Amino acid sequence: MTPLRVLAVASEIYPIIKTGGLADVAGALPIALRACDIETRTLVPGYPDVIRALPAAEVLLDRPHFHGGPIRLLGGSHAKLDLLVLDAPHLFARPGNPYVMPDGKDWPDNGVRFAALSRIAAEIGQGAIPSFVPDVVHAHDWQAGLAPAYLHYAGGPRPATVMTVHNLAYQGKFPHEMLDTFGLPPRSFTIHGLEYYGTISFLKAGLQFADRITTVSPTYAIEIQGDEAGMGLGGLLRERSQVLSGILNGIDVSVWNPQTDPTIAARFSSKELEYRAANKAALRRRLGLDPSPDALLLGVISRLSWQKGLDLLLEDVPTILNEGMQLALLGNGDPDLQDRYHAVSRANIGRIAIVIGYDEALAHLIQAGADALVVPSRFEPCGLTQLCALRYGAVPIVSGVGGLADTVIDVEEADAAGGATTGFKFSPVTAENLAGALRRATNLFHDKHAWRGLQHNGMSTDVSWRDRASQYAALYHEVVGAGRNQAY
């Protein structure tokens, strides 16, 4: 195949700036694509952490006026990633979370901030950097969703475009009065353009105008074409179903590797599962859990939200206690859920431990030390924690939705699925069905031979980007081959 150049556009990227799985994908996929002869540069906002990560960056563009202030486009490399950085201090030189203020509310100018990111992406696509003219502009999530729209309305030759939805729930909606501020023509504000129930939707723009649409698992690609999971965009996705596909996420197996992980108490492989006991003991000590040898230790690493089903797990605390299990949870989110989890932890010292916040090293230790990892999401585009769990021998207990359904094979569906069993699934997503999955897990946990088999199967599963990257490479070649000036 002829080498291709891809401009990826993302609002966060691991290991520099991360709030969720988008950063992991943006950081890992470009590196994996090199084996497929794909040259990727990733355009990211110039947050303070990003600017600090590129001390020797080259200035590629310098504009005195761009969406309300002066900007520079910087080029440089960090952690094997080739980056383009939109250095716009008036938009991005802010500490903390990239999307919200310290009080948890969205930055009021988020529309302008990410319109600027999309617009500079479109200009790069049209040749603003002569040394790097991409064949494909690959936009990730709503923050990059206007890039295909800018290219569409610019007219003339343009690169092919791909839009990846990481979570359809986040759509980037802004008042229609901002159309001129964003630099888009009045004719773009129609049902066949950016208009979404009287507002401008960045995500809809990407879905409407991208040459190809992907999402992060095959099952989620089907789910979002329905009215419920489609969240107001199901009709558009059904209309564009011929260009919609699901490609599973992978994880960076050099970062998530129990044989080399420097953050865990004892390193191990699938043939050395006995060493996991040292990690379980270390996790219990760190969190103040009782050293109960026969207790199944459940781990949770998650946002505390309705989507993630963490309210259902709270309802099942009596099941956890009655069945002799323990719970170690790391996460933050909904203040009410945080308070409720703190309350059950205080009422069950030694049995339930809660850490509010995010701690990368503790996340690794939970994966290495928990017997099972619980992901009870009501919807889950792909999910990454269950992939890490498979890699680390923590048996996943998951709801049967989205990417969870695609990546975990239940002990009761092995023959139908045609693969080795790796965990437990439940559906529909209710507290009662989750409790049933927890009971099935603790019953099998006491059959040490069977449990070891599940762990070994999980650790033998390919959760890397290798196959996934080849699917993206094939998609890029297909869309470029179909022509760069596709009519809508």
Side-chain angles (χ1 to χ4, degrees), residues 189-454:
F189 191 69
T190 71
I191 192 172
H192 298 296
L194 285 64
E195 191 270 335
Y196 179 82
Y197 297 98
T199 69
I200 297 167
S201 168
F202 283 35
L203 182 60
K204 187 198 174 189
L207 299 179
Q208 184 74 54
F209 293 116
D211 296 319
R212 294 290 188 276
I213 302 166
T214 73
T215 191
V216 290
S217 71
T219 293
Y220 193 59
I222 295 169
E223 291 172 346
I224 60 176
Q225 294 179 57
D227 291 336
E228 183 177 355
M231 299 186 176
L233 294 168
L236 173 59
L237 290 164
R238 289 193 295 272
E239 183 180 312
R240 304 213 67 208
S241 61
Q242 295 304 307
V243 298
L244 168 63
S245 60
I247 300 175
L248 276 171
N249 282 340
I251 59 172
D252 187 335
V253 293
S254 66
V255 173
W256 292 97
N257 185 352
Q259 297 182 64
T260 59
D261 194 331
T263 67
I264 62 178
R267 299 171 189 175
F268 61 95
S269 69
S270 61
K271 297 179 181 178
E272 303 165 317
L273 284 167
E274 64 274 13
Y275 292 122
R276 289 190 91 255
N279 293 302
K280 186 174 182 178
L283 179 59
R284 281 173 162 160
R285 285 194 302 271
R286 176 163 177 179
L287 299 183
L289 292 169
D290 296 335
S292 305
D294 296 326
L296 172 68
L297 177 54
L298 303 170
V300 174
I301 306 165
S302 178
R303 288 199 318 274
L304 302 184
S305 68
W306 180 89
Q307 178 209 329
K308 297 294 185 179
L310 271 300
D311 56 317
L312 303 178
L313 187 62
L314 266 175
E315 292 183 44
D316 286 340
V317 165
T319 298
I320 292 171
L321 298 174
N322 292 339
E323 296 291 334
M325 293 180 271
Q326 296 176 319
L327 173 64
L329 181 147
L330 169 65
N332 58 20
D334 181 84
D336 178 63
L337 282 176
Q338 291 183 176
D339 291 344
R340 292 168 65 191
Y341 269 106
H342 268 312
V344 298
S345 177
R346 288 192 297 267
N348 298 281
I349 294 172
R351 300 287 303 280
I352 295 176
I354 309 300
V355 176
I356 299 299
Y358 189 74
D359 181 322
E360 187 78 14
L362 180 56
H364 282 244
L365 185 58
I366 290 174
Q367 295 285 15
D371 298 304
L373 191 91
V374 186
V375 191
S377 303
R378 286 184 169 90
F379 66 93
E380 191 62 68
C382 180
L384 297 177
T385 55
Q386 87 279 9
L387 301 181
C388 299
L390 291 169
R391 178 85 164 144
Y392 277 63
V395 175
I397 303 171
V398 304
S399 52
V401 300
L404 303 175
D406 292 333
T407 55
V408 177
I409 300 176
D410 191 276
V411 295
E412 295 181 354
E413 67 177 14
D415 292 339
T421 59
T422 55
F424 301 87
K425 287 192 291 197
F426 65 94
S427 63
V429 186
T430 65
E432 181 181 3
N433 289 334
L434 171 57
L438 294 173
R439 283 191 290 267
R440 286 198 294 134
T442 196
N443 288 339
L444 194 67
F445 176 69
H446 297 296
D447 182 341
K448 298 305 180 187
H449 178 74
W451 193 264
R452 283 286 179 94
L454 279 182

